[in-house]
Amino acid sequence: MTLNRSRLGLPLALLLAASLSAPLAIADMPRPQESRLSVQAQSSVEVTPDKASLSARLWERTPAVAAGDDQQTDPDALREARERLEERTGELIRTLEEAGLERDAISAGSLNVRPDHINAPRQQDGERETLVRTQLERPITLTIDDLEQLPVILDALTEAGVNALDGVQYDLHDRDAATDRALTQALEKARHKAQLMADTLEVSLGSVTSVSEVQSPVFMPRMMAMRADAMESQGAGAEYRPGTIAIDAEVSVSWEIQD
């Protein structure tokens, strides 16, 4: 009897151990994935620029000489060209201030000196000599907070005889407010789409499970190309309209679907 009980005790112990470990095995089983509703939404906001910046350049040149000459630039000619350039720059700044532009809105860049190679007229034998002259240049950058001043300032630049206009760049005083508006509208549109889908499918939206930006809203300043000769031909009555700039934003949002 003792021997038989020992033989029966081993299977009973194994059965008891299996029954104790069974709940643990069930607890480790993966749970079913929660139902979600995901949408993507894009929004585009049209904004009107309320400020601008303008770049212009003044330059003076020394007389051209043969490129092979040892003394290519006469020091007196170089000094005279610089004096003419500084005088024109000062006159331009005074003209802009008289046009209503604040001194802090006018930035005169540093002097730039570089050689300028040009081709001389062809000689009788068909040969063409290369000439070189020195160009002295001063860049001028203007910040215009009131776009109503733009036509008057452009007229002042033309009257001052600027050599080059690099264009007008339209911008916003508060870029963050415009990009926030685009992002907010994209999120509102995502919520509207999700609610429409949930109502149609007769389900309820739960908590937001994930949200991400597919396209971040970015404000890109608008550049309007312009030349000094084109400005002069337009005259004082010309109008300059900044138009509108589109700011795009796109989001992806997921909601939990409630039972």
Side-chain angles (χ1 to χ4, degrees):
M1 292 296 293
T2 304
L3 180 60
N4 292 337
R5 287 177 180 176
S6 63
R7 290 178 178 177
L8 293 174
L10 181 58
L12 183 60
L14 295 175
L15 181 60
L16 180 60
S19 63
L20 292 174
S21 62
L24 296 177
I26 294 175
D28 293 339
M29 292 178 62
R31 296 180 179 180
Q33 187 175 5
E34 296 178 350
S35 299
R36 294 188 302 172
L37 190 153
S38 301
V39 299
Q40 284 188 333
Q42 185 178 19
S43 174
S44 182
V45 175
E46 296 285 337
V47 294
T48 302
D50 55 11
K51 66 177 294 187
S53 60
L54 188 150
S55 298
R57 286 175 291 156
L58 296 171
W59 64 62
E60 288 288 339
R61 293 164 175 158
T62 61
V65 296
D69 291 354
D70 295 334
Q71 185 68 24
Q72 294 184 356
T73 303
D74 182 9
D76 292 336
L78 190 63
R79 176 181 53 79
E80 292 174 358
R82 180 171 182 176
E83 290 176 353
R84 292 195 305 268
L85 179 60
E86 296 300 336
E87 182 178 356
R88 291 178 60 201
T89 303
E91 182 63 28
L92 174 60
I93 293 175
R94 288 189 293 271
T95 302
L96 292 172
E97 290 178 346
E98 292 174 359
L101 203 60
E102 298 292 336
R103 177 173 289 270
D104 294 340
I106 305 172
S107 176
S110 58
L111 179 66
N112 181 27
V113 181
R114 65 177 180 85
D116 182 26
H117 293 83
I118 57 176
N119 292 323
R122 291 187 182 275
Q123 302 176 3
Q124 294 180 354
D125 56 3
E127 295 294 330
R128 175 176 291 181
E129 186 180 15
T130 300
L131 304 178
V132 63
R133 57 190 176 186
T134 301
Q135 178 167 311
L136 296 87
E137 184 174 297
R138 288 287 301 273
I140 304 292
T141 302
L142 310 177
T143 301
I144 306 170
D145 292 326
D146 183 6
L147 293 184
E148 297 294 332
Q149 291 182 304
L150 183 58
V152 178
I153 293 173
L154 290 174
D155 290 341
L157 291 171
T158 304
E159 293 174 1
V162 294
N163 298 103
L165 283 172
D166 298 328
V168 178
Q169 181 172 274
Y170 291 103
D171 206 335
L172 285 175
H173 283 96
D174 191 353
R175 294 188 185 183
D176 292 339
T179 55
D180 288 350
R181 179 183 167 195
L183 182 58
T184 299
Q185 288 192 9
L187 291 169
E188 291 174 348
K189 189 173 181 179
R191 174 72 185 188
H192 174 74
K193 289 176 62 176
Q195 191 62 58
L196 178 62
M197 295 169 66
D199 293 342
T200 303
L201 299 174
E202 297 181 351
V203 297
S204 299
L205 294 179
S207 302
V208 174
T209 59
S210 66
V211 58
S212 61
E213 281 186 311
V214 179
Q215 177 183 349
S216 300
V218 178
F219 177 85
M220 297 298 294
R222 179 188 297 275
M223 190 70 176
M224 184 178 73
M226 187 174 297
R227 300 193 314 271
D229 55 351
M231 281 178 45
E232 188 172 359
S233 63
Q234 290 175 356
E239 294 185 4
Y240 305 94
R241 300 181 181 273
T244 59
I245 300 175
I247 304 177
D248 299 326
E250 187 174 358
V251 296
S252 176
V253 188
S254 297
W255 281 266
E256 181 185 37
I257 296 179
Q258 293 180 341
D259 296 334

